[in-house]
Amino acid sequence: MPFLRNHLRNNPLSFLVLALPLAILARFLQWGPVWIFVLSAVGLIPMAGYIGKATEVLSVYTGPRIGGLLNATLGNAAELIITLVAIRAGLLDLVKASITGSIIGNLLLVMGMAMLVGGVKNGFQTFDRRHASNNSVLLILAILALVIPSVFSGSIGDDGSPGVESLSLGVAVVMMALYGLGILFAVKSARSPIATETIVEAHHKPGMSLLQSILLLAVATLGVVFLSELLVGEVEHVTENLGLSEFFLGIILVPIIGNVAEHLVAVQVAHRNHMELSVEIAISSSLQIALFVAPLLVFLSLAMGNPLTLIFNPFELIALGAGVIISALVSLDGESNWLEGAALMAVYLILGLSFFLLPG
């Protein structure tokens, strides 16, 4: 198909789609859990990118307002699918770690890399200071909604007790309501930190038809579901064979796998001196995870018989607090440079090293 050939030629990560058939071979030929895990993880990268590409094209056909809603809904579809598979497998600690990892990954790694690359290429870059301030307030509110249940739960009951589950469900309702208000704001103003502006501008030709984009979205989603099953199925074996903790896999590896394509877009637009859009991508994705994906998982996990509570361990709370505070301080002045980007990445690397050395 012409649009797939063009995408394969223009997207440097598209060749990784070859990992999909290799993962299938590894599974049926029994190459071992490490090979199955690695090939599944690699194969998920282009699949997540195809979901993003299809969403962008659909946004062009539906217009900026509906497109914003599509981006808000499908922006983290790949990671949502991975976490749902993990919930079904009972790997709730992995799911909580991936929520934390997605938020700090976007705020520290993605925004840091974008500011570093954009600063080296363009020097000082600017973005809307007032909008950055609004984003920071929403981020702080979102993180507080995740932190408060963890702090109060110790006085309510054990994790999984009726009181703690009720607290998680109540907080999830409030978070979803706030997310809904953000979507309403996006529909009325066509601009919201919760609904990222479409990357493909309306006057550009999308490169594929509406039907083709829907088919691409469906095929990529099925690919993510299949590879997620393979990936999650080998988590326990991989942690034993490689000596990695499930916590490290969730907080570092899973978020990177599900968001590599979006990360590259944020860096590319910063390199082209569109820093405001780059910051918007990073912060919007963090808000979507905190206000939409996390509470949605609480409800879905209850329906799946493996209730997930919004109770995070102290290490996750420290990481969330550090990520939000330093990213807010960096973005409040509406300016960025390569040194600030390096500082954000340094914090991420320090946290990553700490999580790597943390025993499972």
Side-chain angles (χ1 to χ4, degrees):
M1 300 174 73
F3 73 92
L4 278 179
R5 288 197 297 269
N6 292 335
H7 190 59
L8 287 170
R9 185 169 58 251
N10 297 329
N11 190 336
L13 295 178
S14 293
F15 74 94
L16 296 179
V17 74
L18 295 175
L20 174 58
L22 290 176
I24 297 174
L25 283 177
R27 175 66 178 84
F28 286 101
L29 298 181
Q30 298 182 347
W31 290 358
V34 174
W35 276 109
I36 297 173
F37 182 88
V38 170
L39 289 171
S40 300
V42 173
L44 279 166
I45 294 173
M47 291 295 108
Y50 290 141
I51 290 178
K53 177 65 177 177
T55 304
E56 291 172 13
V57 175
L58 285 173
S59 299
V60 175
Y61 285 106
T62 58
R65 294 192 176 185
I66 301 300
L69 297 180
L70 286 173
N71 281 317
T73 306
L74 301 176
N76 294 285
E79 192 167 359
L80 178 61
I81 293 171
I82 296 172
T83 51
L84 285 175
V85 174
I87 288 173
R88 192 176 66 178
L91 302 175
L92 300 183
D93 288 338
L94 180 74
V95 174
K96 293 179 185 180
S98 70
I99 292 171
T100 302
S102 294
I103 294 172
I104 66 171
N106 282 291
L107 295 179
L108 299 176
L109 178 62
V110 178
M111 194 156 68
M113 190 177 299
M115 288 182 176
L116 176 63
V117 172
V120 169
K121 171 68 163 50
N122 305 293
F124 280 89
Q125 295 178 287
T126 60
F127 44 92
D128 190 336
R129 181 177 179 180
R130 183 175 60 180
H131 196 50
S133 177
N134 292 337
N135 287 348
S136 299
V137 171
L138 276 177
L139 271 176
I140 292 171
L141 289 174
I143 299 306
L144 280 176
L146 295 176
V147 170
I148 289 175
S150 303
V151 174
F152 280 78
S153 63
S155 300
I156 296 175
D158 297 328
D159 191 3
S161 66
V164 171
E165 287 187 8
S166 298
L167 176 62
S168 294
L169 288 170
V171 171
V173 169
V174 175
M175 294 167 73
M176 293 286 280
L178 181 57
Y179 185 80
L181 292 174
I183 295 297
L184 179 62
F185 183 80
V187 171
K188 290 184 174 297
S189 66
R191 179 179 177 84
S192 169
I194 293 180
T196 314
E197 296 175 40
T198 179
I199 307 301
V200 180
E201 296 181 14
H203 61 272
H204 287 172
K205 293 183 178 180
M208 66 178 83
S209 68
L210 178 61
L211 178 60
Q212 288 173 332
S213 64
I214 294 174
L215 289 175
L216 178 61
L217 179 61
V219 171
T221 301
L222 290 175
V224 169
V225 172
F226 177 76
L227 289 171
S228 298
E229 293 278 359
L230 294 181
L231 181 83
V232 172
E234 303 299 336
V235 164
E236 293 182 357
H237 300 293
V238 169
T239 55
E240 293 176 3
N241 293 345
L242 298 182
L244 298 175
S245 67
E246 182 182 306
F247 185 63
F248 175 78
L249 292 180
I251 209 163
I252 299 295
L253 187 60
V254 172
I256 290 178
I257 291 170
N259 293 297
V260 164
E262 189 177 39
H263 294 177
L264 288 179
V265 170
V267 175
Q268 289 170 352
V269 296
H271 186 266
R272 294 197 292 265
N273 204 24
H274 299 306
M275 196 64 215
E276 182 163 355
L277 180 55
S278 183
V279 171
E280 191 84 356
I281 292 171
I283 294 181
S284 295
S285 186
S286 297
L287 286 170
Q288 287 169 18
I289 290 292
L291 295 177
F292 177 67
V293 174
L296 180 63
L297 289 175
V298 171
F299 291 107
L300 294 178
S301 66
L302 191 63
M304 295 169 69
N306 282 323
L308 176 76
T309 58
L310 296 176
I311 310 303
F312 296 85
N313 65 45
F315 304 109
E316 292 168 325
L317 297 180
I318 291 171
L320 288 170
V324 170
I325 290 172
I326 190 172
S327 61
L329 291 174
V330 166
S331 61
L332 275 177
D333 62 354
E335 293 182 350
S336 66
N337 55 67
W338 65 265
L339 182 59
E340 291 178 337
L344 291 175
M345 293 183 65
V347 174
Y348 184 80
L349 291 175
I350 292 171
L351 289 172
L353 178 62
S354 302
F355 293 135
F356 177 75
L357 297 176
L358 194 67

